[in-house]
């Protein structure tokens, strides 16, 4: 794949192969972006955009889907919205490539010794796109909007902010008081801030607001100059009053299409210079386009086979270790995922600041797997190729959605496990039924999911703490380990990154030893940009919009 003579791959981070973004099929997944409806135009038509001078640099990109709410409080349900929000808005902090929060609208912050109060010193040079100065009042109004019961944001987001008290001692100071220590708080401080002088007049129940979506006003590096909903076009230009580095690109045109095929075709027609994503089904097509550079980067999330630890068959650690040792996960990636993935050794991405680089890694070793199973009493008593213990065969169902790639994964896992005497019976259902009827009520033996995690903070408490094993939690495997619980609890209380990294490192060691579920691979993201676009850097990303993290440095070569 890397040897294509026609397309240049730019691979970052730990990736050593061509890769493609996998949209994660998970419980509560948001609707696909390509089903979104375009924003309604405002009451006042957008002004005509003047023609760019010959020396100006224009970057245009094809995006799958349509924007609906160019609003940072409502954008998490739609990738197209998040793309625009990342260019238009700023938060108090922003995450770097490792997931650590860095200053943005806040110059600095301090945390009280008890971990309950966060005090932010704000920039005095930030302005809104309409020229109004940014102050602490904007933060207060934004948070109060999130706290309003009528405001239609993600319930998990609003529930969190309702437990936070905000105070503004001065125009350029804001403090947040929590009801209990919560070290991941700074990751919530990355949410984009709204302009108080505009949004405070709009009642919470009136959102989504048509006029605001048509004329968004932020503090970010680019200002929206025009929204042409009918033609699927949004035009942005650098904001002269931006507090950060001035982008070198003179204008961005984002064009929206209904499918990945249509987006790539737009590039091939010369309508755009970039394509926001290249899925597995189009990687070969993109490789054949000589003028395209393909950038591959790790994507926050994991492809995982959950084991239901409530079942007797999975309650012995040695059995779970044997199942892991029996798998050639690179073969699974190559054969079932078209080579699009990187073997996962931890529930955290290798790029994350809390990743344990010395965590135990399981290389495929079927002989060692057989020895472990024999050690705990499994034998092929009937000479039928299936191990059993106390008259019970080592047999269970393995489920997935009916997505062809998912089906290929569980079929390949089934084949590999059969070689050591494990009979896994593949079962397939539609995704909605998989989540509703099997995953959430924990009515499964083993279940394969592509899990997309948009959080940059390494907080693993919601996914693996024993209090989250019930139907409302996300500890689907039912993992319960007292030492692991204590590590996750302490890591949530202590905001010191170094101490948290040590705690998570220890947790990852426990996870690798206990194998509560089978980690298959990390999802990855592929971005295609014309070779005339220079200085593009795609590091590990939490969500697709992070591809614009270094856009201030991009330039466009006028030569074909």
């Amino acid at each position: 794949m890397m040897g294509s003579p026609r397309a240049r791959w730019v691979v970052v981070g730990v990736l050593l192969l061509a890769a493609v973004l996998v949209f994660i099929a998970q419980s509560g997944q948001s609707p696909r972006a390509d089903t979104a409806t375009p924003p309604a135009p405002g009451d006042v038509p957008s002004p005509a955009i003047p023609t760019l001078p010959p020396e100006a640099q224009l970057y245009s990109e094809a995006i799958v889907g349509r924007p609906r709410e160019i609003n940072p409080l409502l954008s998490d349900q739609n990738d197209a919205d998040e793309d625009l929000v990342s260019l238009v808005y700023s938060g108090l902090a922003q995450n770097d490539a490792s997931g650590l929060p860095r200053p943005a609208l806040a110059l600095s912050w301090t945390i009280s010794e008890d971990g309950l109060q966060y005090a932010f010193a704000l920039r005095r040079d930030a302005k809104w796109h309409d020229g109004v100065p940014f102050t602490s009042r904007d933060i207060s109004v934004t948070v109060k909007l999130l706290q309003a019961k009528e405001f239609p944001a993600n319930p998990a987001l609003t529930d969190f902010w309702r437990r936070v008290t905000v105070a503004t001692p001065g125009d350029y100071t804001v403090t947040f008081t929590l009801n209990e220590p919560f070290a991941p708080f700074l990751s919530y401080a990355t949410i984009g801030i709204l302009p108080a002088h505009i949004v405070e007049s709009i009642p919470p129940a009136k959102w989504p607001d048509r006029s605001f979506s048509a004329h968004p006003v932020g503090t970010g590096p680019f200002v929206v100059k025009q929204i042409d909903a009918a033609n699927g076009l949004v035009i942005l230009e650098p904001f002269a009053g931006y507090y950060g580095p001035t982008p070198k690109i003179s204008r961005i045109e984002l064009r929206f299409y209904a499918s990945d095929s249509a987006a790539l075709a737009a590039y091939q027609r010369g309508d755009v210079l970039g394509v926001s994503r290249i899925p597995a089904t189009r990687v070969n097509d993109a490789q054949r386009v000589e003028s395209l550079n393909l950038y591959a980067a790790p994507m926050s999330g994991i492809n995982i086979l959950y084991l239901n630890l409530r079942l007797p068959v999975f309650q012995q650690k040695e059995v779970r270790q044997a199942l892991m040792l029996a798998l050639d996960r690179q073969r699974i990636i190559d054969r079932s995922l078209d080579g699009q993935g990187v073997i996962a050794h931890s529930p955290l991405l290798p790029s994350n600041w809390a990743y344990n680089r010395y965590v135990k890694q399981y290389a495929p070793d079927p002989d060692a797997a057989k020895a472990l199973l024999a050690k705990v009493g499994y034998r092929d008593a009937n000479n039928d190729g299936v191990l059993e213990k106390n008259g019970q065969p080592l047999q269970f169902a393995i489920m997935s959605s009916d997505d062809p790639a998912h089906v290929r994964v569980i079929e390949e896992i089934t084949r590999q496990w059969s070689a050591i005497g494990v009979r896994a019976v593949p079962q397939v259902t539609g995704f909605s039924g998989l989540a509703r009827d099997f995953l959430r009520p924990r009515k499964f033996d083993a279940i394969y999911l592509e899990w997309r995690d948009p959080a940059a903070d390494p907080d693993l408490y919601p996914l693996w703490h024993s209090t989250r094993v019930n139907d409302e939690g996300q500890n689907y495997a039912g993992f319960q380990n007292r030492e692991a619980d204590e590590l996750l609890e302490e890591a949530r209380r202590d905001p010191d990154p170094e101490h948290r990294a040590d705690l998570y490192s220890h947790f990852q060691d426990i996870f690798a030893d206990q194998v509560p579920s089978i980690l298959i691979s990390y999802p990855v993201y592929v971005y295609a940009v014309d070779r005339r676009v220079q200085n593009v850097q795609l590091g590990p990303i939490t969500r697709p919009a992070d591809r614009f993290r270094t856009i201030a440095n991009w330039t466009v070569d006028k030569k074909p």
Side-chain angles (χ1 to χ4, degrees), residues 75-92:
S75 63
D76 61 343
Q77 299 299 305
N78 184 9
D79 285 342
D81 288 336
E82 289 197 335
D83 289 344
L84 285 159
V85 162
S86 71
L87 299 169
V88 174
Y89 293 95
S90 305
L92 287 170

Side-chain angles (χ1 to χ4, degrees), residues 70-73 82-95 102-106 122-123 125-129 134-135 138-139 142 187-195 212 216-223 239 241-245:
I70 312 174
N71 180 333
L73 311 190
E82 289 197 335
D83 289 344
L84 285 159
V85 162
S86 71
L87 299 169
V88 174
Y89 293 95
S90 305
L92 287 170
Q94 59 186 354
N95 292 317
R102 304 298 186 189
L105 288 173
L122 307 181
R123 288 184 172 276
D125 57 348
K127 294 181 180 180
W128 294 100
H129 292 163
F134 162 79
T135 69
D138 299 304
I139 300 167
T142 298
S187 67
Y188 285 82
T190 62
I191 193 168
I193 304 301
L194 295 178
F212 187 78
V217 175
T219 55
F222 288 88
V223 58
F239 175 42
Y242 181 52
Y243 58 83

Side-chain angles (χ1 to χ4, degrees), residues 52-308:
L52 286 173
E55 68 275 10
Q57 298 187 39
L58 169 66
Y59 174 70
S60 54
E61 183 172 304
I63 294 176
V64 177
R66 289 290 180 108
R68 294 176 297 184
E69 300 297 331
I70 312 174
N71 180 333
L73 311 190
L74 301 172
S75 63
D76 61 343
Q77 299 299 305
N78 184 9
D79 285 342
D81 288 336
E82 289 197 335
D83 289 344
L84 285 159
V85 162
S86 71
L87 299 169
V88 174
Y89 293 95
S90 305
L92 287 170
Q94 59 186 354
N95 292 317
D96 65 15
S98 73
L100 277 171
R102 304 298 186 189
L105 288 173
L107 286 172
S108 63
W109 51 79
T110 58
I111 307 171
S112 62
E113 289 188 7
D114 61 8
L116 294 177
Q117 189 173 87
Y118 290 70
F120 292 81
L122 307 181
R123 288 184 172 276
R124 295 173 180 265
D125 57 348
K127 294 181 180 180
W128 294 100
H129 292 163
D130 58 6
V132 175
F134 162 79
T135 69
S136 60
R137 180 165 156 265
D138 299 304
I139 300 167
S140 177
V141 169
T142 298
V143 172
K144 288 178 180 177
L145 189 61
L146 276 170
Q147 293 173 334
K149 292 184 178 180
E150 306 90 345
F151 189 71
N154 185 325
L157 186 64
T158 56
D159 289 348
F160 169 79
W161 283 106
R162 286 173 192 148
R163 298 193 297 270
V164 177
T165 301
V166 60
T168 53
D171 285 347
Y172 297 98
T173 304
V174 63
T175 63
F176 299 95
T177 302
L178 315 183
N179 60 2
E180 62 181 350
F182 186 63
F185 173 76
L186 289 174
S187 67
Y188 285 82
T190 62
I191 193 168
I193 304 301
L194 295 178
H197 63 284
I198 296 177
V199 304
E200 66 181 348
S201 63
I202 306 171
K206 295 295 184 181
W207 292 89
D209 182 75
R210 173 178 174 178
S211 61
F212 187 78
S213 290
H215 302 286
V217 175
T219 55
F222 288 88
V223 58
V224 174
K225 302 296 289 187
Q226 180 173 312
I227 298 177
D228 185 347
N231 294 303
L233 171 66
V234 175
I235 297 176
L236 306 99
E237 293 184 358
F239 175 42
Y242 181 52
Y243 58 83
T246 301
K248 298 177 175 62
I249 290 175
S250 307
R251 180 177 296 170
I252 297 176
E253 294 182 0
L254 300 181
R255 298 182 178 274
F256 301 90
Y257 297 88
S259 68
D260 297 301
S261 299
L264 184 57
Y267 173 80
Q268 293 172 307
R269 290 194 305 269
D271 294 343
V272 294
L273 289 175
V275 182
S276 65
R277 73 182 187 195
I278 302 294
T281 55
R282 293 295 169 188
V283 167
N284 290 337
D285 294 338
Q287 283 184 294
R288 287 190 287 268
V289 182
E290 184 177 2
S291 56
L292 269 181
N293 282 341
L294 304 184
Y295 296 81
M299 181 78 170
S300 184
I302 203 160
N303 298 339
I304 184 171
L305 182 70
Y306 281 110
L307 305 177
N308 192 338

Side-chain angles (χ1 to χ4, degrees), residues 370-389:
K370 292 176 183 177
L372 268 178
L373 292 174
K375 178 182 176 181
V376 294
Y378 279 96
R379 302 285 186 273
D380 185 1
N382 299 319
N383 293 317
D384 60 357
V386 180
L387 299 178
E388 65 175 51
K389 179 180 178 181

